Amino acid sequence: ATALAPNDPATWILLAEAQKQSGNEAAAVLSLKTAEDLGARGDPALKRERAELYRRMGQTREAMGVFVELRDANLLTDAETLELAHMQAAIGDVKGAWASLEQVQKRKPDDPDAKAVEAEILLLKGEEVLGARLLDRLISDTPGLAPARVARARYFLANGLAEEAEQDLAEVSPDYALRPEVRAL
């Protein structure tokens, strides 16, 4: 189809979907970029898909770049914005993580998922006491809050408390446990 209609973004989008389903994520990204270059550049769904493919391929910086574009255009959901803040914190971009987190906390100041990301950022900033207390409170109030459990497990491991980290990770839901950062822990 792309050979018959090389200038039609729709054919490139379909090719990207086929490549993604066959497991060739890098080729899917290239097809999505081609579709964007052919006129579908303003489609936030394509950008979101490309960012997600980057994230799954472990290309965090590329994913963050696309997510920041979407965030700045106010096209991310709160969950996606929190995921962006989490990715920014994970690479040490504390300032960027705060900027992303603030967008969610303005609308939902007491959101537990946002508070878990806030605690993670505090830990990365070196404010360990405040971050650890916030995680403890979150887990006490919401025992099944996976992001808080994972952040606290990471904190425990960094401080040589492997058994405590393992206990927190054991409480994470099976679906959440399949995430790459959780498996790595």
Side-chain angles (χ1 to χ4, degrees), residues 7-172:
N7 295 324
D8 183 3
T11 59
W12 290 96
I13 294 168
L14 292 172
L15 178 60
E17 183 60 31
Q19 291 166 328
K20 185 176 84 173
Q21 287 182 15
S22 71
N24 193 349
E25 293 171 338
V29 166
L30 291 175
S31 294
L32 287 174
K33 282 183 174 182
T34 302
E36 289 178 49
D37 290 343
L38 291 173
R41 185 172 306 282
D43 187 349
L46 288 182
K47 286 185 179 184
R48 184 177 281 111
E49 181 65 27
R50 187 163 48 94
E52 190 58 36
L53 285 168
Y54 280 138
R55 191 180 68 75
R56 279 189 283 185
M57 292 172 14
Q59 297 179 359
T60 306
R61 291 196 186 276
E62 289 82 357
M64 285 185 343
V66 178
F67 278 132
V68 166
E69 281 180 44
L70 291 167
R71 180 202 67 196
D72 291 347
N74 204 27
L75 295 171
L76 290 181
T77 65
D78 286 346
E80 290 167 333
T81 304
L82 289 176
E83 182 64 30
L84 171 60
H86 171 74
M87 286 190 296
Q88 290 169 312
I91 67 158
D93 180 10
V94 174
K95 185 178 177 182
W98 277 119
S100 296
L101 180 62
E102 280 180 341
Q103 287 195 348
V104 176
Q105 288 189 323
K106 284 178 186 175
R107 289 186 296 277
K108 300 177 182 178
D110 296 323
D111 181 63
D113 288 322
K115 290 290 184 190
V117 174
E118 179 182 349
E120 239 183 305
I121 296 169
L122 289 169
L123 291 172
L124 287 168
K125 263 180 75 175
E127 297 181 27
E128 289 189 15
V129 173
L130 191 56
R133 283 185 183 161
L134 181 54
L135 286 173
D136 290 343
R137 190 191 74 195
L138 284 169
I139 291 170
S140 172
D141 294 347
T142 314
L145 187 61
R149 292 268 183 196
V150 172
R152 192 167 75 170
R154 192 175 292 115
Y155 171 74
F156 283 150
L157 279 175
N159 288 292
L161 302 168
E163 289 179 23
E164 289 82 350
E166 190 174 348
Q167 289 172 357
D168 267 338
L169 292 175
E171 296 296 322
V172 173

